[in-house]
Amino acid sequence: MREILIIGAGKSTGVLVDYLLKKSEKHQLQLVIADKNLQSAQSLAADHPKALPLELDIFNPSQRQQQIEKADLVISMLPARFHIEVARDCISFKKHLVTASYVSPEMEELHQQAVENGLVFMNEIGVDPGVDHMSAMQVIDRIRANGGHMLSFESFTGGLVAPEDDNNLWNYKFTWNPRNVVVAGQGGAAKFIQEGKYKYIPYHRLFRRTEFLDVEGYGRFEALANRNSLKYREVYGLQDILTLYRGTMRRVGFSKAWNIFVQLGMTDDTYHLEGSEDMSYRDFVNSFLPYSPTDSVELKMRHELKIDQDDFMWLKLEELDLFNPNKKIGIRNATPAQMLQKILEDSWTLRPGEKDMIVMYHKFGYELNGENKQIDSTMVCLGDGQLQTAMAKTVGLPVGIAALKILDGKISTPGVQIPISKEVYQPILEELETFGVRFRESETEYLGYNKLSL
């Protein structure tokens, strides 16, 4: 019997556990599901004979190390900042490790030790990052194998509400960590390259620089740049590529409306508001507007934003109940971003029975035999309810498949890594297709960019 220790019983862990338990008999697996909240672990274990729930404080070194030492492989579903202590213990006890998070500098420092101990430390094996890496490299490697030369690569991913539950004016609901949505794009300018020219978008302009994408059967989306696309030149071996751009997908119109919050300063997470705990939603909005002895908060805001009362942007703001004097923030010493998140969660939290959707869109431009070509590749994954969400499926399934392949020796190259080698992406993508996570490719005309506008 081989033991897999899963640390963290969050939203994406349910699909992971379900996948591994269905494989447990055939592959001789015993799962230990550990979380600081024993009830959460018990809920996922569901009295299955191959699942043991465990209360675990990861900040208790002896308790953490005791469990890691007993395992054959460790899956960390913790917040990214907590992976490193687990990873160091995995080095000490010579255990394989799988996470869905970006490789941190501290994790990267363990690479040589992982190699020397023959350990696979697989990271970035969720959806974004994860499925995006694998689906991109599969096509890029195929183009190269056929003698093609990459000219451009653009990649976009969105976590959105499913069409049947898209019932608010923003065409958006939270399908993952709300905080990450509120502070997205902060911490530096977005960087990318177009037709050999470096481009930069500072945060205060980010939500007004978008492009449109059409996905067959699902309509039109907009895309805004991720913070740093340039690092993927090295990762994907695209050092001489002319265009490299990665971004986030939303429904058309979201970014223009979100930019209102950015311009007013409501997404700022660098300072705290005095008396935030007792502020009403209306007080919060008013704190960013000029004082007037006569004008209402609504009138001041319309004047500040230069929008009319019948403007669609104004209807979006009203829908959020921003001007309610009776609803309280209730968070002590809160930042503007935390307060905005609290307000948005009232309107944008998925209700029981509502479903989410993951949309991914890749564009591959390449030259083959003197002719420029393009492949567009799209994937849409719909959730099946509160536990089997699209986000949970596209994170939990790749993690589970990778863990099993590592245990079975089918993924064996040691070191701290991400899923960009054929050894990793081919079997995982093939199995994901059986769960409906499938990419559809089409060859289109390669247009490039209008060089006069670069």
Side-chain angles (χ1 to χ4, degrees):
M1 192 66 66
R2 300 177 297 176
E3 181 175 302
I4 297 178
L5 171 63
I6 301 172
I7 307 177
K11 291 182 179 180
S12 296
T13 310
V15 171
L16 164 65
V17 168
D18 185 57
Y19 170 82
L20 290 174
L21 286 179
K22 287 177 179 176
K23 302 283 186 177
S24 61
E25 193 71 33
K26 179 180 178 181
H27 292 269
Q28 293 294 293
L29 304 178
Q30 175 68 49
L31 305 189
V32 176
I33 307 166
D35 194 271
K36 64 179 180 181
N37 185 325
L38 180 59
Q39 189 174 359
S40 296
Q42 289 172 330
S43 176
L44 294 183
D47 296 323
H48 194 286
K50 300 295 185 182
L52 172 66
L54 179 72
E55 184 176 355
L56 176 66
D57 178 5
I58 63 157
F59 300 110
N60 182 327
S62 60
Q63 186 185 20
R64 184 185 69 234
Q65 291 165 6
Q66 180 184 14
Q67 295 304 319
I68 290 175
E69 186 176 13
K70 294 192 301 180
D72 293 286
L73 179 145
V74 178
I75 299 174
S76 179
M77 300 296 283
L78 296 165
R81 63 187 181 277
F82 300 138
H83 292 321
I84 190 61
E85 294 304 324
V86 173
R88 289 173 179 146
D89 289 341
C90 286
I91 292 289
S92 299
F93 298 112
K94 296 180 173 53
K95 309 298 179 181
H96 299 298
L97 173 67
V98 179
T99 87
S101 301
Y102 285 104
V103 176
S104 66
E106 295 82 6
M107 183 73 77
E108 184 62 41
E109 289 176 0
L110 300 178
H111 174 70
Q112 192 55 41
Q113 293 180 68
V115 171
E116 291 170 357
N117 286 283
L119 300 175
V120 178
F121 274 27
M122 184 62 67
N123 300 269
E124 302 187 22
I125 188 70
V127 58
D128 179 4
V131 174
D132 57 340
H133 291 326
M134 295 186 287
S135 54
M137 287 308 302
Q138 183 179 57
V139 177
I140 292 171
D141 282 349
R142 190 172 76 232
I143 289 170
R144 288 170 172 160
N146 291 333
H149 175 71
M150 289 294 297
L151 299 174
S152 66
F153 174 61
E154 299 178 69
S155 177
F156 310 95
T157 304
L160 299 156
V161 62
E164 61 265 38
D165 296 312
D166 186 349
N167 51 23
N168 65 43
L169 297 180
W170 293 74
N171 306 116
Y172 186 79
K173 294 181 183 180
F174 290 127
T175 61
W176 62 311
N177 189 337
R179 173 175 169 78
N180 290 350
V181 176
V182 173
V183 301
Q186 299 183 38
K191 305 176 183 179
F192 53 100
I193 187 170
Q194 287 179 319
E195 296 295 334
K197 303 290 186 182
Y198 289 100
K199 296 293 181 179
Y200 307 91
I201 307 178
Y203 177 65
H204 75 280
R205 293 293 301 153
L206 182 64
F207 294 91
R208 296 308 298 128
R209 291 268 295 273
T210 59
E211 63 178 85
F212 295 136
L213 302 166
D214 292 294
V215 178
E216 185 177 355
Y218 294 90
R220 175 159 283 198
F221 299 83
E222 64 185 19
L224 57 145
N226 286 354
R227 195 164 67 190
N228 185 7
S229 297
L230 300 181
K231 65 181 180 180
Y232 291 93
R233 286 187 297 188
E234 190 70 30
V235 171
Y236 294 166
L238 300 172
Q239 288 86 344
D240 62 345
I241 200 161
L242 295 174
T243 296
L244 181 58
Y245 182 97
R246 284 170 53 93
T248 299
M249 297 174 70
R250 295 284 183 262
R251 285 295 187 181
V252 175
F254 176 91
S255 298
K256 183 178 181 180
W258 184 263
N259 193 54
I260 291 172
F261 299 138
V262 174
Q263 297 307 313
L264 288 174
M266 292 180 175
T267 62
D268 198 312
D269 201 44
T270 63
Y271 67 95
H272 301 87
L273 274 67
E274 284 73 16
S276 61
E277 184 175 13
D278 297 320
M279 273 189 178
S280 68
Y281 290 9
R282 187 179 186 85
D283 293 332
F284 170 67
V285 173
N286 196 29
S287 65
F288 294 95
L289 300 173
Y291 170 78
S292 171
T294 56
D295 292 345
S296 68
V297 175
E298 290 88 344
L299 188 60
K300 289 191 297 182
M301 191 165 187
R302 287 201 298 271
H303 179 74
E304 190 77 8
L305 299 172
K306 296 180 174 57
I307 57 177
D308 296 322
Q309 188 171 359
D310 59 354
D311 192 303
F312 193 57
M313 291 297 106
W314 183 250
L315 298 180
K316 287 186 175 184
L317 296 175
E318 285 190 317
E319 185 183 67
L320 298 175
D321 208 13
L322 282 171
F323 307 104
N324 193 318
N326 301 314
K327 287 185 177 180
K328 299 292 184 180
I329 298 294
I331 306 174
R332 183 186 297 273
N333 204 33
T335 67
Q338 290 172 326
M339 298 171 79
L340 178 61
Q341 177 184 329
K342 169 65 166 59
I343 293 171
L344 295 177
E345 284 177 333
D346 283 355
S347 301
W348 290 357
T349 297
L350 288 172
R351 308 304 178 196
E354 291 188 333
K355 300 176 182 179
D356 67 331
M357 171 175 71
I358 297 290
V359 185
M360 194 170 291
Y361 197 128
H362 300 310
K363 296 181 181 181
F364 307 88
Y366 63 102
E367 182 272 329
L368 179 64
N369 298 326
E371 184 180 353
N372 290 348
K373 299 175 176 289
Q374 181 170 311
I375 295 173
D376 287 5
S377 177
T378 61
M379 184 276 291
V380 177
C381 177
L382 296 171
D384 297 319
Q386 295 295 102
L387 297 178
Q388 295 281 328
T389 66
M391 187 68 71
K393 287 196 288 187
T394 52
V395 172
L397 288 173
V399 168
I401 297 169
L404 200 51
K405 300 295 183 189
I406 292 167
L407 270 185
D408 290 344
K410 295 178 181 177
I411 296 175
S412 58
T413 302
V416 174
Q417 59 191 280
I418 64 175
I420 57 174
S421 69
K422 191 172 184 179
E423 173 194 47
V424 178
Y425 68 66
Q426 183 166 296
I428 295 178
L429 288 175
E430 285 177 357
E431 189 165 347
L432 283 175
E433 285 204 7
T434 68
F435 290 94
V437 182
R438 182 179 297 106
F439 283 81
R440 303 185 186 280
E441 295 182 13
S442 61
E443 296 216 4
T444 62
E445 181 183 2
Y446 178 75
L447 298 176
Y449 287 85
N450 179 356
K451 296 190 176 183
L452 294 178
S453 68
L454 291 175

